[in-house]
Amino acid sequence: MKGNPDGDRIPDTPLFDRKRSLRGYRINKMAMGLSSATNREAFRENESAYLDRFGLTAEEKEAVISRNWQELVRLGGNLFFIIKISAVDPVPITEIGAHQASMDHATFLRDRLGKK
C-alpha cells in the first residue's frame, strides 16, 4: 500500500497477515511455551534467559520485558499467543487492549467498551 511500508490499512492497527505472522514466529512460539507451568516458572525466574531460549531479537526481548503489547503486535505477535504472557503477571485483557489502542485503561473501558 502506498505511503505505508507495512501495508497496514487501518491506522494504528497492524494487519496480522502471513508476512507479520512469519515475522512474529519467535514471539508466538515463546508465548505458547508459557502454557506449561515449568516454563512459566522459568519465565518468572529469569525472563531474559527464557527469551534467549527462543532466539528473540533485542527488539523483541525489549517488547516482552516492557510488556509493550502494541509493539508485540507490530512485531508479529498474535494476541492469542501473547495473552499467555498476561497469565504470568496477571494483566486483564482490557488492559492489553488499552495499551494497543494507546489509551489509559479507564478511558479504554469508557470509550471503547461503554463501561462507566
Side-chain angles (χ1 to χ4, degrees), residues 85-105:
I85 299 168
S86 73
V88 174
D89 287 341
V91 176
I93 186 125
T94 54
E95 179 100 11
I96 296 169
H99 283 278
Q100 288 181 312
S102 299
M103 301 170 82
D104 68 78
H105 193 222

mmCIF file of all heavy atoms in Angstrom, residues 85-105:
data_model
loop_
_atom_site.group_PDB
_atom_site.id
_atom_site.type_symbol
_atom_site.label_atom_id
_atom_site.label_comp_id
_atom_site.label_asym_id
_atom_site.label_seq_id
_atom_site.Cartn_x
_atom_site.Cartn_y
_atom_site.Cartn_z
ATOM 1 N N ILE A 85 1.339 -14.289 28.108
ATOM 2 C CA ILE A 85 2.264 -13.534 28.950
ATOM 3 C C ILE A 85 1.489 -12.909 30.101
ATOM 4 O O ILE A 85 1.976 -12.852 31.233
ATOM 5 C CB ILE A 85 3.010 -12.456 28.131
ATOM 6 C CG1 ILE A 85 3.835 -13.102 27.012
ATOM 7 C CG2 ILE A 85 3.901 -11.605 29.042
ATOM 8 C CD1 ILE A 85 4.368 -12.122 25.986
ATOM 9 N N SER A 86 0.276 -12.473 29.824
ATOM 10 C CA SER A 86 -0.519 -11.824 30.864
ATOM 11 C C SER A 86 -0.931 -12.797 31.959
ATOM 12 O O SER A 86 -1.260 -12.388 33.067
ATOM 13 C CB SER A 86 -1.763 -11.149 30.264
ATOM 14 O OG SER A 86 -2.714 -12.110 29.885
ATOM 15 N N ALA A 87 -0.897 -14.085 31.677
ATOM 16 C CA ALA A 87 -1.214 -15.081 32.703
ATOM 17 C C ALA A 87 -0.099 -15.171 33.734
ATOM 18 O O ALA A 87 -0.320 -15.608 34.858
ATOM 19 C CB ALA A 87 -1.443 -16.445 32.059
ATOM 20 N N VAL A 88 1.080 -14.741 33.376
ATOM 21 C CA VAL A 88 2.216 -14.764 34.297
ATOM 22 C C VAL A 88 2.142 -13.560 35.235
ATOM 23 O O VAL A 88 2.476 -13.670 36.411
ATOM 24 C CB VAL A 88 3.551 -14.780 33.516
ATOM 25 C CG1 VAL A 88 4.741 -14.663 34.444
ATOM 26 C CG2 VAL A 88 3.652 -16.040 32.674
ATOM 27 N N ASP A 89 1.685 -12.416 34.753
ATOM 28 C CA ASP A 89 1.724 -11.176 35.547
ATOM 29 C C ASP A 89 0.681 -11.049 36.654
ATOM 30 O O ASP A 89 1.090 -10.686 37.745
ATOM 31 C CB ASP A 89 1.678 -9.967 34.623
ATOM 32 C CG ASP A 89 2.989 -9.776 33.881
ATOM 33 O OD1 ASP A 89 4.005 -10.325 34.313
ATOM 34 O OD2 ASP A 89 2.992 -9.079 32.868
ATOM 35 N N PRO A 90 -0.540 -11.297 36.613
ATOM 36 C CA PRO A 90 -1.501 -11.297 35.503
ATOM 37 C C PRO A 90 -1.970 -9.882 35.161
ATOM 38 O O PRO A 90 -1.949 -8.993 35.997
ATOM 39 C CB PRO A 90 -2.660 -12.115 36.059
ATOM 40 C CG PRO A 90 -2.635 -11.847 37.525
ATOM 41 C CD PRO A 90 -1.181 -11.634 37.881
ATOM 42 N N VAL A 91 -2.424 -9.740 33.928
ATOM 43 C CA VAL A 91 -2.904 -8.463 33.414
ATOM 44 C C VAL A 91 -4.255 -8.725 32.741
ATOM 45 O O VAL A 91 -4.372 -9.651 31.943
ATOM 46 C CB VAL A 91 -1.922 -7.887 32.360
ATOM 47 C CG1 VAL A 91 -2.458 -6.618 31.741
ATOM 48 C CG2 VAL A 91 -0.559 -7.653 32.969
ATOM 49 N N PRO A 92 -5.276 -7.935 33.058
ATOM 50 C CA PRO A 92 -6.567 -8.137 32.386
ATOM 51 C C PRO A 92 -6.454 -7.859 30.884
ATOM 52 O O PRO A 92 -5.708 -6.979 30.460
ATOM 53 C CB PRO A 92 -7.495 -7.105 33.034
ATOM 54 C CG PRO A 92 -6.768 -6.570 34.213
ATOM 55 C CD PRO A 92 -5.311 -6.853 34.024
ATOM 56 N N ILE A 93 -7.184 -8.597 30.085
ATOM 57 C CA ILE A 93 -7.151 -8.419 28.630
ATOM 58 C C ILE A 93 -7.549 -6.998 28.239
ATOM 59 O O ILE A 93 -7.053 -6.452 27.264
ATOM 60 C CB ILE A 93 -8.016 -9.462 27.897
ATOM 61 C CG1 ILE A 93 -7.830 -9.312 26.388
ATOM 62 C CG2 ILE A 93 -9.473 -9.312 28.221
ATOM 63 C CD1 ILE A 93 -7.415 -10.522 25.691
ATOM 64 N N THR A 94 -8.416 -6.373 29.020
ATOM 65 C CA THR A 94 -8.811 -4.996 28.697
ATOM 66 C C THR A 94 -7.641 -4.038 28.882
ATOM 67 O O THR A 94 -7.556 -3.033 28.186
ATOM 68 C CB THR A 94 -10.012 -4.544 29.553
ATOM 69 O OG1 THR A 94 -9.699 -4.745 30.940
ATOM 70 C CG2 THR A 94 -11.276 -5.313 29.180
ATOM 71 N N GLU A 95 -6.724 -4.353 29.788
ATOM 72 C CA GLU A 95 -5.521 -3.532 29.954
ATOM 73 C C GLU A 95 -4.638 -3.646 28.712
ATOM 74 O O GLU A 95 -4.085 -2.666 28.228
ATOM 75 C CB GLU A 95 -4.751 -3.981 31.190
ATOM 76 C CG GLU A 95 -3.480 -3.216 31.421
ATOM 77 C CD GLU A 95 -3.625 -2.137 32.477
ATOM 78 O OE1 GLU A 95 -4.634 -2.101 33.185
ATOM 79 O OE2 GLU A 95 -2.698 -1.323 32.547
ATOM 80 N N ILE A 96 -4.528 -4.850 28.179
ATOM 81 C CA ILE A 96 -3.755 -5.054 26.950
ATOM 82 C C ILE A 96 -4.412 -4.303 25.802
ATOM 83 O O ILE A 96 -3.740 -3.642 25.016
ATOM 84 C CB ILE A 96 -3.615 -6.555 26.640
ATOM 85 C CG1 ILE A 96 -2.808 -7.241 27.742
ATOM 86 C CG2 ILE A 96 -2.969 -6.777 25.273
ATOM 87 C CD1 ILE A 96 -2.818 -8.747 27.681
ATOM 88 N N GLY A 97 -5.734 -4.376 25.705
ATOM 89 C CA GLY A 97 -6.453 -3.624 24.679
ATOM 90 C C GLY A 97 -6.202 -2.138 24.779
ATOM 91 O O GLY A 97 -6.014 -1.457 23.771
ATOM 92 N N ALA A 98 -6.168 -1.630 25.995
ATOM 93 C CA ALA A 98 -5.893 -0.207 26.211
ATOM 94 C C ALA A 98 -4.497 0.150 25.725
ATOM 95 O O ALA A 98 -4.306 1.159 25.045
ATOM 96 C CB ALA A 98 -6.058 0.144 27.688
ATOM 97 N N HIS A 99 -3.512 -0.685 26.041
ATOM 98 C CA HIS A 99 -2.144 -0.437 25.575
ATOM 99 C C HIS A 99 -2.076 -0.439 24.060
ATOM 100 O O HIS A 99 -1.419 0.417 23.460
ATOM 101 C CB HIS A 99 -1.181 -1.496 26.128
ATOM 102 C CG HIS A 99 -0.804 -1.291 27.545
ATOM 103 N ND1 HIS A 99 0.173 -0.417 27.944
ATOM 104 C CD2 HIS A 99 -1.283 -1.858 28.680
ATOM 105 C CE1 HIS A 99 0.291 -0.445 29.252
ATOM 106 N NE2 HIS A 99 -0.591 -1.315 29.730
ATOM 107 N N GLN A 100 -2.751 -1.398 23.433
ATOM 108 C CA GLN A 100 -2.719 -1.485 21.978
ATOM 109 C C GLN A 100 -3.375 -0.278 21.327
ATOM 110 O O GLN A 100 -3.003 0.121 20.236
ATOM 111 C CB GLN A 100 -3.394 -2.769 21.507
ATOM 112 C CG GLN A 100 -2.562 -3.984 21.807
ATOM 113 C CD GLN A 100 -3.217 -5.249 21.320
ATOM 114 O OE1 GLN A 100 -4.395 -5.480 21.563
ATOM 115 N NE2 GLN A 100 -2.455 -6.075 20.643
ATOM 116 N N ALA A 101 -4.349 0.308 22.012
ATOM 117 C CA ALA A 101 -5.038 1.488 21.487
ATOM 118 C C ALA A 101 -4.365 2.790 21.939
ATOM 119 O O ALA A 101 -4.868 3.872 21.642
ATOM 120 C CB ALA A 101 -6.499 1.476 21.943
ATOM 121 N N SER A 102 -3.254 2.671 22.666
ATOM 122 C CA SER A 102 -2.529 3.838 23.203
ATOM 123 C C SER A 102 -3.436 4.683 24.094
ATOM 124 O O SER A 102 -3.424 5.913 24.029
ATOM 125 C CB SER A 102 -1.943 4.691 22.070
ATOM 126 O OG SER A 102 -1.027 3.938 21.313
ATOM 127 N N MET A 103 -4.214 4.009 24.940
ATOM 128 C CA MET A 103 -5.133 4.687 25.860
ATOM 129 C C MET A 103 -4.875 4.191 27.277
ATOM 130 O O MET A 103 -4.368 3.090 27.461
ATOM 131 C CB MET A 103 -6.586 4.360 25.491
ATOM 132 C CG MET A 103 -6.986 4.751 24.081
ATOM 133 S SD MET A 103 -8.606 4.083 23.623
ATOM 134 C CE MET A 103 -9.662 5.309 24.372
ATOM 135 N N ASP A 104 -5.238 5.029 28.263
ATOM 136 C CA ASP A 104 -5.183 4.516 29.631
ATOM 137 C C ASP A 104 -6.382 3.594 29.826
ATOM 138 O O ASP A 104 -7.373 3.652 29.090
ATOM 139 C CB ASP A 104 -5.122 5.635 30.670
ATOM 140 C CG ASP A 104 -6.403 6.430 30.751
ATOM 141 O OD1 ASP A 104 -7.359 5.919 31.367
ATOM 142 O OD2 ASP A 104 -6.442 7.561 30.211
ATOM 143 N N HIS A 105 -6.278 2.714 30.813
ATOM 144 C CA HIS A 105 -7.266 1.662 30.998
ATOM 145 C C HIS A 105 -8.677 2.218 31.228
ATOM 146 O O HIS A 105 -9.644 1.753 30.617
ATOM 147 C CB HIS A 105 -6.836 0.743 32.147
ATOM 148 C CG HIS A 105 -7.605 -0.527 32.217
ATOM 149 N ND1 HIS A 105 -8.037 -1.061 33.393
ATOM 150 C CD2 HIS A 105 -8.022 -1.379 31.254
ATOM 151 C CE1 HIS A 105 -8.683 -2.187 33.159
ATOM 152 N NE2 HIS A 105 -8.688 -2.407 31.869
#
